Amino acid sequence: MQHNPKNKKRASSLHWAARFAIKYGTLCSLLLLVSGFCFPKASLYAVSICKSAVTSFAVSVIGGLFIDVIAFRRGMDE
């Protein structure tokens, strides 16, 4: 199986808006997750904040990938 340099370049580069969404969405999710550990073990607040952090992480990553796909389809990849 031969590697195509074009495909490798495309796989490693994302649209700037997608990188922004993934980078800062992940950072906010991490901060939210860390703040969940400040509450007592297995409290309602701790569980709710950790669930929110996981959901926020998933939304930011999937949303960033959708932004990249839309930019690629519209020819706005840079």
Side-chain angles (χ1 to χ4, degrees):
M1 179 180 227
Q2 293 179 345
H3 294 286
N4 189 353
K6 267 184 152 178
N7 291 341
K8 186 175 182 183
K9 182 182 177 202
R10 179 65 196 147
S12 65
S13 65
L14 290 173
H15 190 263
W16 68 269
R19 276 195 313 267
F20 183 83
I22 292 172
K23 180 179 179 180
Y24 289 107
T26 303
L27 182 65
C28 291
S29 300
L30 182 63
L31 293 175
L32 192 61
L33 183 65
V34 169
S35 69
F37 288 108
C38 296
F39 293 100
K41 185 177 179 181
S43 70
L44 178 65
Y45 292 122
V47 172
S48 297
I49 288 175
C50 290
K51 283 183 181 180
S52 298
V54 171
T55 304
S56 174
F57 175 74
V59 167
S60 67
V61 170
I62 292 172
L65 293 176
F66 278 150
I67 290 171
D68 187 52
V69 168
I70 291 169
F72 180 73
R73 296 275 182 167
R74 295 195 64 185
M76 296 175 7
D77 53 339
E78 295 173 351

